[in-house]
Amino acid sequence: MATAVDSYFKISQRGSSVGREVRGGVVTFLTMAYIIVLNPIILAGVPDVEGNFLGGGSEPGSGFATIAACTALIAGLLSIAMGAVANFPLAIAAGLGLNAFVAYSVASQMTWADAMGLVVLEGLVILVLVLTGFRKAVFDAVPTQLKTAIAVGIGLFITFIGLVDAGFVRTSGIPAPPVQLGIGNTLSGWPVLVFCITLLVMFALHARKVPGAILIGIVFGTVLAGIVQALTDTPGGGGDPTSKGWNLNVPSWPDQVFQSPDLGLLGEFNLLGGFDRIGVVAAFLLVFSLLLADFFDTMGTMTAVGAEAGLNDDEGTPPNAQRILIVDSVAAAAGGAAGVSSNTSYIESASGVGDGARTGLASIVTGLLFLLSVFAAPLVQHIPSEAAVPALVLVGFLMMTQVGGIDWNDIEIALPAFLTIALMPFTYSITVGIGAGFVTYVLLKVVRGKAAVLHPLMWIVAALFVVYFAIDPITRWLT
């Protein structure tokens, strides 16, 4: 049995072991588990155009448990599919940013069922683009050094995510500076202390080359948070950027560990309802915005994870790229069909890779833990993010080390690479960073008289990104 598993997943061939894959899968889950809580917070608190809240009920948050269960279910099934079909250490869950776009920009114009119908349609369109080879062709057309810049930019992005989620970096509430260290440029609150101590422990373990440094660090942070909470009784922050409380979950032991899930959102979508509600042009532009974000987020994510794992080829392409893209496309449609917004590949998977994962077995482990959390949502909701997000900072450092692969003396690649790296964290969007890099790369080739060397698909992608960046005035003009 062990030999068959090793052979199927190429565990030994990739220099790994079953133990490392299991450990990496657990680490990835722990750094992603927040989505089980955060996705319902985003989706359950916003009414659709008819005043209804997702998951049922007439009050904000009334559908929280239903959304959480369905979020975990789809993440589990599609992460397992990614591991089994593509044999790649990449996990899947509801896409952050995409869920906010669906909640605030799409559902505000139609019913939740209509909005999820557009998400399903977007996923099906991407699947067609994958099966026709277009999505893979675009990926292959991107210069290798630009792919490296994408990986580095994502490293800085997830570092920023970790620092913000821990309350180490916060909005200042004033134009300059827009962000600051803690509250008033002073670290305040017990949760931030837990984050800092956990991060330093994780750094020390990594420097000592301790196997499982990230997982050990997360477990340490969770125990420390529990002790701190028992002594201080610190409340939750409730989303207040000036709070000194826990950012998302208050560490505690729940009254019950398991509960029967409510999966009532499955199948709650209306495929073409959005077109009837707001018209063909407006609905098409919403689908286009969703599609472009999904299309390039995954490209950047799989490049970065593959690079961190040492799996990419000389052109910066991970193994089984076509299969990765197929599973990811199916995930987009599946998320809409389950009523929990588009699902996509998660850059947090790099944390598992940083702890040793190299194959799809790690993704299967992550998926199984998501499936378990469908029934164990009470337990997952009580693990503080401050104990898990230090992993993102450490992995951000590991991904940043690839910056030496960029020729900073070549202005034609250096400027696009710079914008790609800088704009991902500064705009909180992988898509924006990739788009700015692509458009600038094409522009510089043109102005320096080298347009002929550009791959035809780079012209198409750059033009699409111009439309993406100008989507608001275009929408106003057409509608």
Side-chain angles (χ1 to χ4, degrees), residues 384-398:
S385 60
E386 286 82 356
V389 295
L392 300 183
V393 179
L394 176 55
V395 173
F397 155 73
L398 296 174

Side-chain angles (χ1 to χ4, degrees), residues 12-64:
S12 298
Q13 182 179 326
R14 295 185 182 180
S16 185
S17 67
V18 172
R20 286 176 61 182
E21 296 303 309
V22 171
R23 190 177 68 223
V26 173
V27 167
T28 294
F29 172 75
L30 291 175
T31 55
M32 286 178 61
Y34 67 84
I35 193 60
I36 301 174
V37 179
L38 194 54
N39 199 42
I41 289 175
I42 294 172
L43 296 179
V46 181
D48 63 17
V49 72
E50 296 182 352
N52 298 315
F53 289 88
L54 184 63
S58 57
E59 297 295 329
S62 54
F64 190 99

Side-chain angles (χ1 to χ4, degrees), residues 401-423:
T401 59
Q402 301 173 49
V403 74
I406 299 171
D407 184 359
W408 295 103
N409 294 316
D410 181 357
I411 195 67
E412 293 173 14
I413 192 66
L415 270 176
F418 166 73
L419 285 178
T420 298
I421 294 169
L423 288 179

Side-chain angles (χ1 to χ4, degrees), residues 314-404:
D314 293 339
E315 300 299 320
T317 302
N320 301 323
Q322 180 73 351
R323 293 184 182 183
I324 295 172
L325 295 174
I326 288 175
V327 175
D328 183 83
S329 302
V330 172
V340 293
S341 186
S342 178
N343 273 231
T344 188
S345 301
Y346 259 56
I347 190 55
E348 281 86 347
S349 305
S351 61
V353 169
D355 214 40
R358 294 294 181 272
T359 76
L361 180 58
S363 298
I364 291 178
V365 171
T366 302
L368 290 174
L369 290 173
F370 267 117
L371 292 183
L372 178 62
S373 66
V374 172
F375 302 93
L379 179 61
V380 174
Q381 293 174 22
H382 289 262
I383 298 174
S385 60
E386 286 82 356
V389 295
L392 300 183
V393 179
L394 176 55
V395 173
F397 155 73
L398 296 174
M399 297 173 70
M400 184 69 189
T401 59
Q402 301 173 49
V403 74

Side-chain angles (χ1 to χ4, degrees), residues 201-210 213 394:
V201 168
M202 206 173 283
F203 280 173
L205 292 171
H206 177 74
R208 295 286 298 179
K209 298 183 179 180
V210 175
L394 176 55

